[in-house]
């Protein structure tokens, strides 16, 4: 396992769920702006979305199962956090596709 593929800490995963939820909220805001035809405000959101996506990308090896979860006392909590993040990100994927159709 390389240094970039280490297991994230519980704090990193909790931060990941917050960022995933922030992304979901941002995508809802995008939808509202697209529906209203406010492309200037839509464009202004893109840098915030890119920042969130960049920070979430650090979790991809763990979320995809590429990096196995280390055994320990918090395995169940870690698995639950990973499942929660993946669920929110699946919702984000669907919202992104919906927004892309509107564009």
């Amino acid at each position: 396992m390389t240094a970039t593929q280490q297991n994230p800490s519980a704090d990193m995963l909790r931060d990941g769920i917050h960022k995933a939820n922030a992304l979901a909220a941002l995508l809802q805001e995008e939808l509202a702006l697209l529906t209203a035809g406010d492309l200037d405000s839509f464009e202004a959101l893109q840098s915030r979305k890119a920042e969130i996506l960049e920070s979430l990308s650090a979790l991809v090896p763990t979320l995809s199962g590429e990096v196995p979860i280390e055994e320990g006392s918090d395995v169940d909590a870690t698995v639950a956090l990973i499942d929660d993040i993946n669920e929110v990100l699946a919702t984000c994927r669907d919202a992104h596709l919906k927004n892309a159709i509107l564009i």
Side-chain angles (χ1 to χ4, degrees):
M1 180 175 358
T2 67
T4 58
Q5 292 182 327
Q6 294 176 357
N7 276 316
S9 67
D11 288 338
M12 286 178 68
L13 289 171
R14 281 190 287 277
D15 185 53
I17 191 70
H18 292 296
K19 292 203 191 272
N21 284 320
L23 179 61
L26 192 118
L27 289 165
Q28 288 178 344
E29 189 176 345
E30 271 189 0
L31 177 62
L33 293 171
L34 287 169
T35 303
D38 188 352
L39 295 180
D40 291 334
S41 296
F42 169 81
E43 283 297 321
L45 288 180
Q46 299 313 299
S47 62
R48 285 183 17 213
K49 185 166 81 173
E51 288 173 16
I52 293 170
L53 289 169
E54 186 176 332
S55 59
L56 284 169
S57 69
L59 297 176
V60 168
T62 299
L63 298 176
S64 67
E66 183 179 323
V67 174
I69 299 169
E70 290 181 10
E71 295 297 321
S73 60
D74 293 337
V75 170
D76 290 340
T78 299
V79 169
L81 274 171
I82 290 169
D83 288 346
D84 289 346
I85 294 168
N86 280 325
E87 185 176 318
V88 173
L89 290 178
T91 301
C92 290
R93 179 197 61 228
D94 295 343
H96 172 73
L97 292 173
K98 185 176 183 179
N99 291 352
I101 290 170
L102 284 176
I103 293 173

